[in-house]
Amino acid sequence: MRKPFVAGNWKMNKTVAEARQLVAEMAPGLGSFQGVETVLCPPFPALVAVSAMLAGTGIGLGAQNMYWEESGAYTGEVSPAMVAELCGYVILGHSERRTYFGETDRGVNRKTVAALAHHLVPIVCVGETLAENAAGETAQVVTRQVREGLQGVDGAEASRLVIAYEPVWAIGTGKAATGQGANEVVRECIRKPLAELFGGSTAQAVRVLYGGSVTPANAAEFFGQPEIDGALVGGASLKPDFVKIVQAAVK
Ligand code: 13P
């Protein structure tokens, strides 16, 4: 049985003061659910403050990115050890990083390996663009992102991975995928390559999330799918109503 998993990706939103306020509003509700792994991913500057507020709540903390090198002359970057000092999780390869900051499958791969080495849970994002979807390339693109993003990952550690299927056309558009459509992509283009890379039992152990315009109104449609274990939530994680999405994931 895979434990349901819901993460809020705050993206570039909330100052430290605003982050404190939002966590104060949400933490009592979020911390009250058993049987679901809940993670908040604020921007880097808010991690220290949010980490202190989440201590003892059972709610996890994640970063939205990190670099793969251990330390050194990489101005503006944050190392795996810096993230691991505060967080248990890190989002990697989000489509916004791929689109605006030139991240490649190779880079996502190096980050994933580094995150696992630092005992972080990587939340590895994959998903096709609108143009790729329209061209019928979804299966090819998502399968490639999984294979190349995870190559060389130690099979003994692979079951700790979390994968998020986030079709780019569904992110921030209000046009979510259908539960059934997302479930099929997860089964064919994520679990199959996972099984090729790590074997069938690891492929069944990895949590796979859906992301893209998830709201309290549509969350249950995704959580009811056999291959989908939770959600990576953007816009709707910035409101106290995020608690309702997490509640919908409780089995
Ligand atoms: P939205 O929920 O705002 O569509 O964003 C999804 C996302 O990109 C989460 O990482």
Side-chain angles (χ1 to χ4, degrees):
M1 274 301 285
R2 298 183 294 263
K3 188 173 183 182
F5 188 108
V6 179
N9 174 9
W10 292 9
K11 309 192 181 184
M12 198 175 74
N13 295 290
K14 305 293 176 188
T15 63
V16 177
E18 290 165 347
R20 280 206 179 94
Q21 192 179 340
L22 182 60
V23 173
E25 284 168 349
M26 286 195 306
L30 291 178
S32 70
F33 304 122
Q34 302 291 315
V36 55
E37 206 164 318
T38 306
V39 179
L40 302 182
C41 304
F44 287 125
L47 287 175
V48 172
V50 174
S51 154
M53 292 181 78
L54 295 184
T57 63
I59 304 164
L61 184 66
Q64 299 174 15
N65 180 34
M66 61 168 220
Y67 196 43
W68 59 75
E69 292 289 353
E70 293 295 314
S71 65
Y74 303 101
T75 301
E77 291 296 321
V78 171
S79 77
M82 292 170 192
V83 172
E85 197 176 28
L86 294 167
C87 301
Y89 306 81
V90 60
I91 297 171
L92 297 175
H94 191 280
S95 65
E96 288 147 17
R97 299 231 39 102
R98 295 177 191 256
T99 301
Y100 304 129
F101 304 100
E103 290 207 6
T104 61
D105 291 328
R106 176 73 187 121
V108 174
N109 180 242
R110 296 180 78 164
K111 292 180 178 191
T112 303
V113 170
L116 287 167
H118 283 264
H119 309 291
L120 287 157
V121 172
I123 304 171
V124 180
C125 302
V126 298
E128 81 286 4
T129 64
L130 182 61
E132 289 162 344
N133 184 281
E137 294 169 357
T138 299
Q140 182 196 326
V141 168
V142 176
T143 303
R144 186 205 73 224
Q145 289 173 332
V146 172
R147 282 193 187 133
E148 297 192 8
L150 303 181
Q151 64 174 313
V153 166
D154 182 350
E157 299 202 326
S159 60
R160 287 169 43 216
L161 293 165
V162 174
I163 314 286
Y165 171 53
E166 299 206 308
V168 180
W169 47 268
I171 295 177
T173 59
K175 292 181 186 151
T178 63
Q180 214 179 359
N183 188 68
E184 194 176 310
V185 174
V186 172
R187 188 182 62 232
E188 295 302 315
C189 314
I190 297 179
R191 295 219 190 265
K192 273 193 184 161
L194 281 174
E196 285 164 21
L197 285 165
F198 307 114
S201 66
T202 298
Q204 286 307 311
V206 169
R207 267 87 58 85
V208 184
L209 317 178
Y210 168 77
S213 298
V214 174
T215 65
N218 66 16
E221 179 185 346
F222 296 102
F223 301 158
Q225 300 296 328
E227 303 293 350
I228 297 175
D229 306 307
L232 182 55
V233 183
S237 74
L238 296 169
K239 299 179 196 129
D241 256 12
F242 178 57
V243 174
K244 292 186 184 158
I245 297 178
V246 177
Q247 185 171 27
V250 179
K251 285 253 157 73

